[in-house]
């Protein structure tokens, strides 16, 4: 296809990702998108016109050489394709699946001006999966000559921690990740459901890191099991905090502690991490109601809604105080949720949770909303319509309203400054106000995306390298 | 992996274990707890610490068979290992040097959990009285170990087979008559902790309860362990487990503890007719 004219490339229809039948998939936890075949992938890659000034690269928070990997794919040079991807992105099989492409690289793709944009995310996923299956993953293990006698401790094994680990190990540093939970991966594992991100994909990425020589210690809560200062005393030369924004926000409404009221993290953790979907083989239980209501319309809300759907309740309803246009979830997640039968109550907001005498949630009082003037962020502000309250049936409610920052490390370590909402403050090198301590990911933003966390992690990795190099020279 | 170094059956359906966990043993303090998970299929459950050896790197725990997971632990032997053990979790008990007597009351595994608190209170120069309660004399646990750490020990049994007949609160009221009680803490079943709070409320004696909410991660990430204290929602695993007992909504705690009764019974099917007398 290399001799195709730009004009003709622009006309090729976008190959949509084949999906499993909603009526089948909503009963299991297998992955929803089926994946491209080689033919489909090559055809889709050929839609990229290899722009001289590729906007897509600007749109990607880590600036992947997108036309580069697409053109290699089109030529069938899979080794070059994966090499180009992994040059900038250590976790392409994950980003290809969960990035909000529609708000990033694909949003600004030139082809999208006249036609639909190139399916960059799906192709990223294709190349990464292909490379894994065919043993094409480039080996970044440092050679013996490259080994550096300095150690870095990383708190947290989410995308931020994994990225810093990869980047620094590549340079020859000794790297150890400390993870509080009994499984690595952070939100990738305990938050994002398996039908969106199969366990095998995460395991593969973590195994790649281990092969490079990255050590992982599970069940280690930094700030408690080991304090940051203790890590320095033990001989670590730098500490990187990638502990995420795991603190769930509750609604603050009457009745929020009724049985049947969950924070999204609890519900998703019970299922994703503890495998309550396989109860009683796995012995952690979860009780999914008959009429499930999810509050919020971000990715977390969609994940909670679709997970609840898989327990076969009567109804799953998303209640969101703004309209569909403002819903922050990836377009694809909204669509998949709709396909699976999730109902949406836009412009509604909960005001009270009502229980029975046994303290079980039974009903939710909601109020209708309308959109007023735009706020500072440019989104129209939702305003409650007086007197419009009514009750809906609801025996399970999941709050998916975003997260606060876990204060554990900053409260047990002196000298790490946080901002007004508790997020760790870092400089342009990713260093916190405590020397030798760096931070990246949701812990510095209070909750964002996988790829943003990875971008910040790369900054921190560069900062750590610079810092440790300077330390070596002093010696 | 976290190995059981020592195991002793100390009462019916109750074992005391020494578990290898050097990093936790090094940093744990009074009132903190751990989360244990047995194996791939296991649930994460919160367990208090009744002692430790920082040099040898082990923790002492007391397990009472309550359902599937704790029953499985009863059957574990020396040399067996837990898949996961994380800690120390929670905020240490709010101890200090008090102007009067400190009273620590323990029921069930709580009798073990108060031992490190007693040690710390003594270290800080307090007069400390311990109270251990059980239904009958055969169910008393950890009272001998606690005795070593306190100035006086009271035992209560519901049937009067040992010590004072009645509840730990019977002992507490007689202590309050005799001494100037400045600080109280209870660890055990919710009704016990509630009764203690009711008894010390009028005199405004600072009183703490260790709230045994249902937990999943134990690190503040999931919100399962929500309790209401002073009208506010708190997470027992990070803000607690110890809270001002006078401000705790015990009714809510008890109702929430029962949230999983049905699946718990299904999970515990395996042990429905199990004879625990020979463990
Ligand atoms: C349900 C859900 C769905 C999402 N969907 C998407 C999506 O589709 N696309 C997208 O781009 N983003 C999505 N996000 C956001 C994205 O997952 C996060 O922005 C990203 O995971 C942040 O990465 P991180 O490495 O900073 O933190 P995390 O992924 O939160 O990882 C932090 C890790 O640190 C561990 N930890 C915490 N405290 C300590 C400690 N003291 N010591 C040791 N370890 C500790 C935690 O257990 C955790 O494993 C979603 C988030 C959620 C909750
Ligand atoms: C801070 C804290 C310290 C504790 N210390 C000890 C201890 O030292 N020794 C001891 O034997 N027990 C202790 N417990 C109680 C112990 O965690 C429960 O008995 C155990 O989780 C029961 O699990 P199971 O599978 O055996 O029984 P199940 O049949 O699952 O449950 C029996 C009852 O235990 C409670 N429970 C169940 N699952 C959990 C959970 N994940 N988290 C908390 N409670 C739960 C519920 O009220 C339930 O009705 C403590 C609890 C807390 C919160
Ligand atoms: S990492 Fe995300 S934003 Fe960047 S190219 Fe891939 S899908 Fe697009
Ligand atoms: S903007 Fe679109 S067409 Fe241009 S290089 Fe990027 S992917 Fe290809
Ligand atoms: S147990 Fe999850 S927040 Fe406390």
């Amino acid at each position: 296809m290399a001799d195709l004219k730009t004009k003709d490339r622009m006309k090729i229809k976008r190959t949509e990702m084949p999906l499993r039948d909603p009526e089948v998939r909503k009963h299991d936890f297998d992955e929803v998108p089926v994946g491209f075949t080689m033919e489909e992938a090559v055809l889709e890659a050929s839609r990229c016109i290899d722009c001289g000034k590729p906007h897509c690269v600007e749109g990607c928070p880590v600036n992947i050489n997108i036309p580069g990997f697409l053109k290699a794919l089109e030529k069938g040079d899979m080794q070059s394709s994966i090499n180009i991807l992994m040059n900038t992105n250590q976790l392409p099989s994950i980003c290809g699946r969960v990035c909000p492409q529609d708000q990033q690289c694909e949003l600004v793709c030139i082809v999208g001006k006249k036609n639909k944009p190139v399916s960059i995310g799906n192709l990223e996923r294709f190349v990464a999966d292909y490379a894994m299956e065919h043993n094409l993953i480039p080996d970044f293990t440092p050679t013996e000559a490259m080994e550096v006698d300095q150690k870095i401790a990383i708190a947290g094994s989410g995308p931020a921690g994994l990225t810093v680990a990869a980047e620094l190990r590549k340079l020859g540093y000794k790297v150890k990740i400390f993870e509080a939970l009994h499984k690595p991966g952070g939100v990738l594992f305990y938050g994002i459901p398996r039908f969106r991100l199969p366990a095998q994909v995460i395991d593969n990425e973590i195994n790649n890191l281990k092969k490079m020589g990255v050590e992982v210690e599970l069940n280690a809560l930094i700030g408690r099991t080991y304090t940051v200062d203790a890590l320095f005393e033990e001989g670590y030369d730098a500490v990187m905090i990638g502990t995420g924004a795991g603190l769930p926000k509750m609604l603050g409404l009457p009745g929020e502690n009724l049985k049947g009221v969950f924070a999204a993290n609890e519900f998703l953790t019970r299922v994703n991490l503890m495998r309550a979907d396989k109860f009683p083989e796995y012995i952690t239980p979860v009780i999914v109601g008959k009429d499930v209501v999810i509050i919020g319309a971000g990715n977390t809300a969609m994940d909670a809604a679709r997970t609840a759907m898989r327990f076969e309740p009567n109804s799953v309803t998303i209640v969101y105080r703004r309209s569909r246009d403002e819903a922050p979830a990836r377009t694809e997640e909204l669509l998949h949720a709709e396909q699976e039968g999730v109902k949406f109550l836009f412009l509604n907001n909960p005001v009270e949770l009502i229980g029975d005498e046994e303290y079980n949630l039974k009903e939710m009082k909601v109020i209708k909303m309308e959109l007023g003037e735009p706020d500072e962020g440019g989104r129209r502000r939702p305003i409650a319509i007086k007197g419009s309250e009514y009750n809906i049936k609801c025996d399970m409610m999941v709050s998916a309203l975003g997260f606060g920052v876990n204060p554990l490390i900053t409260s047990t370590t002196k000298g790490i400054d946080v901002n007004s909402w508790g997020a760790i403050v870092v400089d342009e090198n990713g260093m916190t106000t405590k020397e030798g301590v760096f931070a990246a990911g949701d812990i510095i933003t209070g909750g964002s995306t996988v790829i943003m966390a990875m971008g910040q992690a790369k900054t921190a990795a560069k900062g750590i390298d610079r810092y440790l190099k300077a330390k070596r020279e002093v010696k | 992996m976290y190995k059981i170094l020592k195991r002793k059956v100390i009462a019916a359906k109750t074992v005391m274990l020494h578990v290898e966990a050097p990093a936790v043993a090094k940093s744990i303090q009074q009132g903190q707890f751990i989360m244990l998970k047995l194996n791939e299929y296991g649930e994460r459950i919160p367990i208090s610490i009744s002692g430790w050896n920082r040099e040898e790197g082990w923790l002492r725990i007391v397990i009472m068979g309550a359902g599937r997971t704790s029953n499985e632990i009863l059957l574990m032997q020396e040399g067996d290992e837990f898949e996961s053990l994380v800690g120390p979790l929670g905020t240490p008990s709010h101890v200090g040097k008090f102007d009067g007597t400190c009273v620590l009351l323990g029921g069930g595994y709580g009798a073990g959990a108060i031992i490190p608190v007693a040690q710390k209170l003594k270290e800080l120069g307090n007069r400390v009285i311990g109270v251990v309660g059980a239904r009958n004399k055969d169910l008393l646990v950890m009272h001998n170990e606690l005795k070593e750490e306190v100035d006086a020990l009271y035992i209560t049994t519901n049937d009067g087979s040992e010590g004072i007949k009645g509840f730990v609160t019977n002992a507490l009221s007689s202590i309050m008559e005799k001494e100037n009680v400045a600080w109280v803490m209870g660890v055990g079943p919710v009704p016990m902790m509630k009764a203690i709070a009711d008894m010390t409320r009028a005199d405004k004696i600072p009183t703490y309860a260790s709230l045994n909410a249902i937990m999943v991660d134990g690190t503040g990430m999931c919100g399962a362990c929500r309790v209401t204290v002073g009208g506010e929602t708190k997470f027992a695993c990070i803000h607690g487990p110890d809270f001002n007992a006078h401000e705790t909504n015990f009714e809510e705690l008890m109702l929430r503890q029962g949230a999983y009764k049905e699946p718990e019974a299904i999970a515990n099917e395996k042990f429905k007719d199990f004879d625990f007398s020979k463990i």
Side-chain angles (χ1 to χ4, degrees), chain B residues 2-272:
Chain B
Y2 305 83
K3 196 193 274 179
I4 298 178
L5 302 175
K6 195 174 149 192
R7 171 186 186 270
K8 196 174 158 200
V9 180
I10 54 174
K13 290 190 78 173
T14 310
V15 294
M16 185 194 76
L17 306 174
H18 290 186
V19 185
E20 190 171 49
V24 183
K26 214 166 157 184
S27 50
I28 196 152
Q29 296 177 56
Q30 76 289 342
Q32 290 185 306
F33 65 97
I34 56 169
M35 297 291 294
L36 272 182
K37 181 170 178 279
L38 265 58
N39 52 37
E40 164 71 15
Y41 304 98
E43 186 169 20
R44 294 168 67 98
I45 66 162
I47 294 296
S48 312
I49 301 303
S50 73
W52 54 75
N53 186 316
R54 299 208 202 272
E55 286 70 44
E56 293 172 17
W58 50 259
L59 305 169
R60 180 174 68 187
I61 60 177
V62 174
I63 305 284
M64 299 202 129
R68 171 66 182 264
T69 304
S70 45
N71 284 338
E72 298 234 30
I73 299 175
L74 294 183
L75 302 185
M76 290 172 77
Q77 301 298 326
E78 282 172 17
D80 288 350
E81 294 177 338
F82 295 100
E83 179 203 84
S84 153
L85 183 161
V86 62
L89 303 171
T91 306
S93 303
H94 312 276
V95 294
K97 167 75 179 92
F98 300 103
D99 205 10
T101 305
C102 303
V103 184
L104 291 165
L105 306 100
Y109 68 79
I114 56 179
I115 293 175
V117 188
Q119 285 167 333
K120 188 74 194 180
L121 285 168
K122 283 303 296 175
E123 214 180 287
L124 294 169
N126 294 288
R127 171 169 166 78
V128 183
I129 297 183
V131 181
V132 173
R135 266 185 288 131
N136 61 52
K137 143 171 170 276
D138 297 331
L139 294 175
L140 279 170
V141 294
M142 303 306 282
H143 48 296
N144 294 326
E145 286 82 355
L146 178 63
K147 197 170 178 187
E148 306 290 310
E149 313 297 341
V150 290
D151 297 296
L153 179 76
Y154 288 68
I155 286 173
T156 67
T157 49
N158 301 6
D159 65 355
S161 51
E162 189 162 341
I164 301 171
K165 183 171 155 77
F167 299 95
V168 290
T169 36
N170 295 100
L172 179 58
S173 72
S174 65
I175 297 166
M176 283 166 68
E177 273 164 32
K178 279 185 266 179
E179 313 218 5
N180 166 32
V181 176
W183 193 88
V184 174
M185 175 169 165
V187 187
V190 178
M192 176 194 118
M193 295 191 288
K194 184 174 183 300
I196 293 168
D198 291 341
M199 183 160 276
T200 58
R201 185 172 283 114
D203 294 344
K204 296 202 175 73
I205 303 170
T207 301
Y208 288 88
S210 175
L211 304 188
N212 40 353
I214 291 187
M215 298 186 179
V216 180
D217 63 307
T219 69
M221 176 271 274
C222 78
C225 60
R226 301 196 302 284
V227 291
T228 303
V229 182
E232 272 180 61
T233 296
K234 299 274 180 194
F235 289 6
C237 72
I238 45 171
H239 303 128
D242 297 356
F243 289 97
N244 182 334
H246 294 153
E247 296 189 345
T248 296
N249 184 338
F250 287 108
E251 290 76 16
E252 178 182 271
L253 175 63
M254 230 176 316
L255 287 159
R256 285 182 65 83
Q257 281 181 340
Y260 292 91
K261 279 262 155 1
E262 278 169 42
E264 277 161 10
I266 296 170
N268 199 34
E269 234 7 70
K270 182 173 168 183
F271 292 112
K272 215 174 68 193

Side-chain angles (χ1 to χ4, degrees), chain A residues 182 219 221 224-225 246-248 250 256-257 259 261 263 265-266 270 274 279 281-285 287 359 406, chain B residues 2 27 40-44 69 84-85 87-90 219-222 224 226 228 233 252 255-256 259-260 263:
Chain A
H182 59 269
N219 309 307
L221 187 64
R224 291 265 200 243
T225 318
L247 219 56
M250 295 310 296
E256 71 173 355
N257 291 340
K259 291 185 276 180
V261 179
N265 268 1
E266 180 187 353
R270 281 184 181 272
M274 305 311 298
F279 180 87
E281 183 192 1
Y282 282 75
I283 63 174
T284 302
I287 299 176
Y359 218 61
N406 195 324
Chain B
Y2 305 83
S27 50
E40 164 71 15
Y41 304 98
E43 186 169 20
R44 294 168 67 98
T69 304
S84 153
L85 183 161
L89 303 171
T219 69
M221 176 271 274
C222 78
R226 301 196 302 284
T228 303
T233 296
E252 178 182 271
L255 287 159
R256 285 182 65 83
Y260 292 91

Side-chain angles (χ1 to χ4, degrees), chain A residues 57-74:
Chain A
V57 177
E58 302 290 312
C60 167
V62 295
N63 308 121
I64 291 184
N65 175 0
I66 294 169
F69 98 83
L70 290 179
K71 291 302 116 178
L73 163 61
E74 189 184 333

